[in-house]
Amino acid sequence: MKIVIASDHGGVDLKALLVKALSPVATVVDKGPADRASCDYPDYAALVATSVSAGEADFGILICRSGIGMGMCANRFQNVRAAICPTTETATVTRQHNGANVLCLGADFVSPEYAVEIAKTFISTPVDESERHVRRRIKLERACRLSDVSGLMRDDPDVFAAIKAQTEQEDTEINLIASENFCSRACREATGSVLTNKYAEGYPGKRWYSGCVPVDAVEELARKRACELFGAEHANVQPHCGSSANMAVYFATIKPGDTILSMSLDQGGHLSHGSPVNFSGKLYNIVPYTVDKTTETLDYDALERQALEVKPKILLAGASAYPRKIDFKRIREICDKVGCIMMVDMAHIAGLVAGGQHESPVPYADFVTTTTHKTLRGPRGGLVLCKEKYAKALDSAVFPGMQGGPLENVIAAKAVCFREAMQPEFKAYAAQIVKNCQVLCKTIQDRGYRIVSGGTDNHLFLVDVHSHGMTGKDAAAALDAAGIVVNKNTIPYDTESPFKTSGIRVGTASVTTRGMKEAEMIKIGTWIADVLDNIGDTAVQERVKSAARALVADFPVP
Ligand SMILES: *Cc1c(COP(=O)(O)O)cnc(C)c1O
């Protein structure tokens, strides 16, 4: 057992006594002060609290004249639960119920002998693991997620109101938007950190500004982790988003007017793969490929014939609304026959790739781009991976080619995300996303709704609602009114306009992050079908809305 102990000048003598009394039963680290010279209690409280917060010690002990100031300071640190205990009884109860891990003592209000008894009681009382206490401790730690931004309540109430509304929305709705997720608190902390203050044009070790030692360390860490996670030769972690990651690859490899063969936007491709309203469609000659009309899946032989005819400079694979696995090996063969660059945009499936639920494009592709905020569950941002031979061209396309200073706070959060994705739990998470998706899809299918391509292999599926006489727009609006959030989406060979559409896109990354499993998917799928079966019925919507709200209450957002 390891205990860190500190005091202010008022608690030095009691501290010395406690160190002596506890040393036979624990490793006691004395963080000071060494003498009775006047000092400031928050300095010493912070030393102990950081140590306990980081998990370096099992317990902390803090002593000042009342114990109160020490307790106030220590409790501002995550994972610290500091308790001011004037008696052995309070020490027992706070250990059992609150799982207190820092003991605060008031040297003026307990005798030295009794203080030793309180400390011994505190460190020897086990935490009560019964359900209600565990639940309350989890709530205590989350302390209503608004505590993360509680400073804004006073400093900027208008911005605070928007964040509060988003928090409430996340806490009360079922989010099935396939491109969204909930990143970890650690990711949010890095995103909100002081790293946003630093200008760092250039790359680690080669910056245009001074003072880049800390951000160099964080960007190097992010690059290294990205390469390790995906088995890549080179990573650029600076693109602000997925679209700029794609822009970087185009800028690094081809010239305006060159041909890109990419998946048609209305069949699942992305805006930045050549939409006429996007820079990609304005700068390059875009030739779209489509899915097979009957199977609604990619026909690689047809794609090969088209590629040999079109002779693109880049063959781009990857999509925003394709529910099936993509055969990257086959696409490599096509690229080799054509002699073109193979680029894969894995924005949607990056988390499945990291978690071993989808074959990785990295061994095959010249360039792999991705967002970090979809199934990968990191901060909103972009990433490019490539073979070493393209590293220089890629890096100069990003900076100075198209961006100025990188967002080092977001890059830090990307580093956090990559580390999280390397943990064994992330593999289980990715597997659960796919399992949940299949169960949710089948539940809706069994209620008579046609699923595009007949099912799903990944984190999303498309429901053809047109076959039930409604548009995707109407379906999404009805579900929204019932507390279930999806998006309208075109389906292959859609006869409706992109503003109305014939489908909805449903994804399971977010609900899986909340800890939902197959049983919850059956409930949600049933509710979706109930709402769609009774499209104009507000009573059904209200019933589902309260049921949805009750369900998500048991699955808190991180
Ligand atoms: C989401 C997505 C992007 C772009 O993401 P932004 O960060 O919004 O620019 C790029 N490609 C695909 C396939 C996507 O799904």
Side-chain angles (χ1 to χ4, degrees):
M1 182 190 297
K2 187 172 166 189
I3 300 171
V4 278
I5 188 167
S7 69
D8 68 356
H9 46 279
V12 177
D13 294 339
L14 180 54
K15 173 164 67 69
L17 182 71
L18 282 164
V19 170
K20 215 167 144 199
L22 297 175
S23 289
V25 294
T27 308
V28 184
V29 181
D30 186 348
K31 297 267 187 187
D35 56 44
R36 286 193 207 129
S38 175
C39 65
D40 300 332
Y41 64 87
D43 295 340
Y44 289 93
L47 286 177
V48 165
T50 47
S51 186
V52 172
S53 187
E56 292 162 6
D58 304 291
F59 294 108
I61 298 178
L62 288 165
I63 310 148
C64 61
R65 291 182 59 184
S66 68
I68 296 170
M70 288 293 197
M72 286 179 177
C73 183
N75 274 324
R76 297 189 174 220
F77 290 78
Q78 295 295 323
N79 307 315
V80 167
R81 293 176 300 280
I84 303 152
C85 298
T87 62
T88 52
E89 289 82 0
T90 49
T92 303
V93 171
T94 193
R95 278 291 297 152
Q96 289 173 335
H97 292 196
N98 319 123
N101 51 16
V102 172
L103 171 66
C104 303
L105 291 166
D108 283 6
F109 301 100
V110 284
S111 71
E113 300 72 31
Y114 192 45
V116 170
E117 210 184 313
I118 293 170
K120 285 187 170 168
T121 305
F122 188 85
I123 63 171
S124 62
T125 304
V127 179
D128 187 331
E129 297 294 344
S130 60
E131 199 273 332
R132 69 182 193 284
H133 291 307
V134 172
R135 183 181 69 240
R136 287 166 192 163
R137 286 198 296 271
I138 290 170
K139 283 196 177 176
L140 179 70
E141 222 40 78
R142 290 175 80 241
C144 143
R145 295 160 73 224
L146 288 177
S147 64
D148 288 357
V149 289
S150 51
L152 276 171
M153 283 191 217
R154 188 181 302 198
D155 296 340
D156 195 328
D158 299 330
V159 170
F160 178 78
I163 297 174
K164 183 163 178 269
Q166 169 74 16
T167 306
E168 280 167 6
Q169 186 173 298
E170 291 182 356
D171 282 347
T172 54
E173 290 183 343
I174 295 175
N175 181 2
L176 298 170
I177 303 233
S179 50
E180 292 185 7
N181 209 332
F182 303 116
C183 73
S184 67
R185 177 175 209 137
C187 274
R188 285 191 282 116
E189 285 183 0
T191 309
S193 73
V194 293
L195 294 172
T196 194
N197 295 333
K198 191 68 196 106
Y199 240 118
E201 286 178 350
Y203 290 96
K206 292 171 288 194
R207 304 283 194 185
W208 291 82
Y209 287 84
S210 302
C212 285
V213 173
V215 293
D216 274 8
V218 89
E219 187 168 338
E220 199 47 56
L221 200 57
R223 293 205 294 198
K224 236 180 80 197
R225 287 180 181 173
C227 288
E228 190 187 334
L229 176 63
F230 291 109
E233 292 177 15
H234 179 74
N236 189 309
V237 294
Q238 293 192 359
H240 300 327
C241 65
S243 298
S244 37
N246 288 338
M247 185 189 263
V249 176
Y250 306 149
F251 281 14
T253 53
I254 60 174
K255 291 193 190 59
D258 283 349
T259 299
I260 301 173
L261 180 57
S262 60
M263 191 167 195
S264 170
L265 177 62
D266 60 357
Q267 299 209 351
H270 187 260
L271 210 65
S272 60
H273 295 185
S275 159
V277 299
N278 183 260
F279 79 92
S280 53
K282 293 184 201 292
L283 282 185
Y284 305 105
N285 175 40
I286 304 295
V287 179
Y289 60 86
T290 56
V291 295
D292 179 80
K293 208 162 183 171
T294 42
T295 62
E296 295 174 303
T297 58
L298 288 168
D299 176 344
Y300 296 96
D301 296 336
L303 179 59
E304 179 174 311
R305 285 193 297 276
Q306 188 182 13
L308 286 167
E309 191 186 308
V310 171
K311 296 196 180 13
K313 285 268 166 59
I314 293 178
L315 172 49
L316 172 48
S320 301
Y322 187 66
R324 296 302 186 172
K325 287 191 170 147
I326 299 176
D327 187 346
F328 297 125
K329 184 160 175 275
R330 183 75 179 90
I331 288 177
R332 176 78 253 174
E333 285 167 15
I334 299 172
C335 291
D336 286 343
K337 276 193 189 165
V338 176
C340 67
I341 289 165
M342 174 173 171
M343 172 177 171
V344 174
D345 178 348
M346 63 168 182
H348 261 264
I349 57 168
L352 303 184
V353 169
Q357 291 297 311
H358 192 299
E359 187 188 28
S360 173
V362 173
Y364 303 107
D366 298 294
F367 291 89
V368 176
T369 59
T370 185
T371 55
T372 45
H373 50 269
K374 296 177 183 172
T375 51
L376 195 54
R377 208 169 63 181
R380 189 160 296 280
L383 164 71
V384 186
L385 306 167
C386 69
K387 302 279 184 243
E388 190 57 45
K389 63 175 172 179
Y390 297 116
K392 246 184 135 160
L394 172 69
D395 285 354
S396 51
V398 175
F399 175 86
M402 47 177 279
Q403 286 186 181
L407 312 176
E408 294 293 347
N409 54 321
V410 178
I411 289 172
K414 289 174 189 173
V416 172
C417 151
F418 300 147
R419 183 174 179 276
E420 288 173 355
M422 281 186 246
Q423 307 308 311
E425 306 88 74
F426 197 85
K427 281 203 165 51
Y429 167 65
Q432 191 64 47
I433 291 177
V434 177
K435 274 191 241 166
N436 282 351
C437 197
Q438 285 171 352
V439 172
L440 185 58
C441 179
K442 178 141 195 321
T443 307
I444 296 170
Q445 194 168 32
D446 287 349
R447 290 279 297 261
Y449 287 85
R450 194 183 83 79
I451 305 297
V452 168
S453 86
T456 172
D457 302 327
N458 58 23
H459 65 296
L460 67 82
F461 59 93
L462 295 164
V463 186
D464 173 3
V465 293
H466 206 251
S467 54
H468 274 62
M470 64 189 101
T471 63
K473 186 173 175 225
D474 294 339
L479 289 168
D480 196 34
I484 298 175
V485 189
V486 302
N487 63 279
K488 66 177 179 198
N489 214 100
T490 54
I491 61 173
Y493 305 99
D494 208 321
T495 50
E496 290 284 354
S497 78
F499 300 102
K500 287 190 173 161
T501 80
S502 294
I504 54 169
R505 187 181 66 161
V506 182
T508 52
S510 296
V511 286
T512 309
T513 297
R514 297 182 97 128
M516 292 189 190
K517 297 217 161 72
E518 290 87 334
E520 287 75 37
M521 296 305 110
I522 292 171
K523 284 185 190 165
I524 295 171
T526 304
W527 294 334
I528 289 175
D530 288 349
V531 170
L532 297 184
D533 282 354
N534 304 281
I535 186 80
D537 191 334
T538 50
V540 174
Q541 288 167 8
E542 283 304 318
R543 170 178 66 79
V544 169
K545 189 174 186 162
S546 57
R549 188 181 268 260
L551 179 72
V552 293
D554 290 335
F555 295 91
V557 174

